[in-house]
């Protein structure tokens, strides 16, 4: 495949030119690339070509909760949003506490073929808050652990988990929430558990990734921990930088204007590693009953481009760093830049014309979104995975 007449943007900057993909990898980038006989040619005139997006935090609901989302529908939503790889959480039914379940989900994704999946395994077995025996027998290809949705209540259990993680080269993904404090003060619940986990990571030397950071205090503690040498990365969601003082139910909750402003400043300074969607599909009945979460894969780029680039003047290269390059580095993937040798996963986006979000056109099963009817700039037109088109906007 040859993509021509493009504006090429990645974490290293932007330039005009074209891009050739051969055997699933980027083979050449630059100006003066000539068409070859029999080559598929994509004319990107008027569009911007970016590395495809990578989501560090999402929920495909397989196994057991497929009425909300499944691997096929989640993959379609990902492709429509410009994603070619996602990292799925373990709060399934049953809980993903084994390599067998994780590998089954990943194999289903490869069979669908639209989006690669890394499936996390739970920190504690079956989310029981105590048992860690399964962590000592995980094979080398299972590296990411998370009790997302509830966190680990016991400090001793989290300490023991991080000791094992440090010994075995695993990554702890922290849902920072002190469940005993959540009914009293959600903010305090996030801040206290963030600080606790950072100090445990410092003591054990474990790699720690802080999920959906939403408060100024939590972000300040992460930055301070980095200065102390803690091996910590972090993510922020699109909805936590778009909304403030809003009662749409997500966990952690939508925060105050001062939190949003501080998170955006940290993003502009390069202190936030990744934008992760926390794509959390629910049925209308579950959402009406109070289930927390928002679907995010299909709106993430438009939300972030509108908020960060259009409203706050962030360079698109910086946004690409958080949506592609740093997530790839954290997951250990050879992608996220428009360079020869990288995986041939790219997105063609229209960053000029605004569009209106229509949830009825979502490719995923669930439509629990607060963005319906909103006008965004930054629309994914084509998604390409390994040199094959996985999504084409026919509008």
């Amino acid at each position: 495949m040859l993509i021509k007449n493009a504006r090429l943007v990645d974490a290293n900057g932007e330039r005009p030119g074209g891009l050739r993909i051969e055997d699933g990898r980027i083979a050449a980038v630059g100006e003066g690339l000539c068409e070859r006989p029999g080559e598929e040619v994509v004319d990107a005139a008027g569009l911007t070509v970016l590395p495809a997006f990578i989501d560090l935090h999402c929920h495909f609901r397989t196994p057991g909760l497929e009425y909300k989302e499944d691997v096929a529908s989640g993959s379609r939503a990902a492709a429509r949003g410009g994603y070619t790889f996602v990292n799925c959480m373990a709060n399934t039914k049953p809980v993903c506490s084994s390599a067998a379940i994780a590998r089954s989900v990943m194999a289903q994704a490869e069979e669908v073929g639209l989006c690669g999946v890394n499936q996390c395994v739970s920190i504690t077995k079956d989310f029981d808050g105590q048992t860690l025996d399964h962590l000592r027998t995980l094979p080398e290809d299972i590296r990411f652990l998370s009790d997302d949705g509830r966190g680990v209540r016991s400090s001793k259990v989290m300490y023991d988990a991080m000791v094992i993680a440090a010994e075995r080269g695993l990554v702890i993904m922290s849902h920072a929430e002190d469940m005993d404090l959540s009914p009293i003060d959600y903010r305090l619940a996030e801040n206290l558990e963030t600080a606790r986990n950072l100090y445990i990571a410092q003591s054990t030397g474990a790699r720690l990734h802080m999920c959906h950071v939403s408060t100024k205090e939590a972000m300040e503690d992460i930055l301070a921990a980095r200065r102390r040498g803690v091996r910590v990365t972090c993510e922020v969601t699109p909805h936590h930088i778009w909304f403030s003082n809003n009662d749409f139910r997500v966990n952690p909750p939508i925060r105050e204007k001062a939190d949003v402003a501080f998170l955006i400043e940290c993003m502009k300074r390069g202190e936030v590693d990744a934008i992760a969607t926390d794509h959390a599909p629910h049925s209308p009945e579950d959402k009406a009953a109070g289930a927390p979460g928002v679907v995010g894969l299909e709106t993430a780029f438009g939300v972030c481009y509108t908020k960060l680039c259009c409203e706050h003047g962030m360079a698109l290269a910086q946004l690409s760093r958080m949506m592609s390059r740093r997530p790839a580095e954290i997951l250990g993937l050879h992608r996220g830049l428009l360079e020869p040798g990288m995986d041939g996963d790219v997105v063609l986006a229209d960053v000029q014309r605004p569009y209106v979000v229509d949830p009825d056109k979502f490719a995923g099963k669930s439509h629990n979104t607060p963005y319906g009817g909103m006008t965004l700039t930054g629309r994914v037109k084509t998604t390409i995975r390994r040199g094959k088109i996985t999504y084409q906007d026919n509008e």
Side-chain angles (χ1 to χ4, degrees), residues 262-284:
F262 187 74
L263 292 176
I264 290 174
E265 283 304 309
C266 290
M267 290 173 142
K268 291 169 71 174
R269 293 196 297 261
E271 295 166 338
V272 172
D273 294 280
I275 292 169
T277 70
D278 197 4
H279 176 80
H282 291 297
S283 67

Side-chain angles (χ1 to χ4, degrees), residues 96-263:
C96 182
S97 295
S98 70
I101 295 176
R103 284 173 169 170
S104 172
V105 174
M106 293 186 283
Q108 288 181 57
E110 285 307 311
E111 185 175 345
V112 173
L114 299 176
C115 180
V117 167
N118 180 71
Q119 175 62 56
C120 287
V121 166
S122 63
I123 298 172
T124 63
K125 186 173 177 61
D126 300 325
F127 283 3
D128 69 1
Q130 298 293 325
T131 307
L132 303 173
D133 295 343
H134 63 300
L135 301 185
R136 298 191 181 278
T137 59
L138 289 176
E140 290 186 359
D141 60 326
I142 307 295
R143 295 177 48 244
F144 289 81
L145 313 173
S146 178
D147 273 17
D148 186 65
R150 61 181 65 202
V152 176
R153 268 182 165 157
S154 165
S155 296
K156 176 62 164 57
V157 171
M158 182 58 101
Y159 179 89
D160 290 342
M162 287 204 202
V163 168
I164 297 170
E167 291 173 350
R168 305 205 62 220
L170 307 173
V171 180
I172 298 282
M173 299 189 71
S174 166
H175 173 108
E177 179 183 0
D178 186 319
M179 300 289 285
D180 295 321
L181 288 173
S182 294
I184 303 168
D185 188 334
Y186 266 116
R187 185 182 201 90
L188 187 61
E190 177 175 349
N191 292 343
L192 281 184
E193 192 142 320
T194 296
R196 182 201 74 171
N197 290 347
L198 289 167
Y199 278 107
I200 294 175
Q202 181 174 348
S203 177
T204 60
R207 272 189 64 191
L208 177 64
H209 178 79
M210 300 305 300
C211 296
H212 42 52
V213 180
S214 69
T215 72
K216 181 177 185 286
E217 297 90 348
M219 192 68 219
E220 287 174 331
D221 282 347
I222 290 166
L223 299 180
R226 284 180 179 164
R227 292 192 291 270
R228 300 195 305 268
V230 178
R231 302 168 68 199
V232 59
T233 53
C234 68
E235 68 187 44
V236 170
T237 73
H239 49 273
H240 282 121
I241 60 169
W242 184 271
F243 295 105
S244 61
N245 305 306
N246 184 290
D247 60 2
F248 188 89
R249 183 130 198 271
V250 289
N251 188 15
I254 301 301
R255 302 298 189 182
E256 307 298 322
K257 288 183 178 180
D259 299 298
V260 174
F262 187 74
L263 292 176

Side-chain angles (χ1 to χ4, degrees), residues 293-344:
V294 55
V295 289
L297 286 167
E298 300 182 57
T299 53
F301 179 66
V303 167
C304 293
Y305 184 81
T306 302
K307 175 62 66 173
L308 297 174
C309 298
C310 298
E311 295 182 18
H312 287 270
M314 178 184 287
L316 182 53
Q318 179 73 347
L319 179 58
S320 179
R321 172 189 171 273
M322 292 185 288
M323 294 190 72
S324 302
R325 184 54 183 161
R326 283 298 286 141
E329 291 176 333
I330 291 167
L331 290 169
L333 303 174
H334 195 59
R335 58 184 76 182
L337 292 174
L338 302 179
E339 292 184 354
M342 290 282 172
D343 288 354

Side-chain angles (χ1 to χ4, degrees), residues 3-9 14-17 42-50 301 305 316 347-354 377-382:
I3 302 171
K4 65 178 186 178
N5 299 325
R7 173 199 180 204
L8 305 170
V9 180
E14 67 174 86
R15 58 218 185 268
V42 176
D43 190 344
L47 301 177
T48 299
V49 175
L50 300 146
F301 179 66
Y305 184 81
L316 182 53
V347 167
L348 280 67
D350 182 348
V351 297
Q352 301 298 323
R353 290 177 295 179
T377 303
R379 186 186 187 106
V380 172
K381 303 296 288 184
T382 305

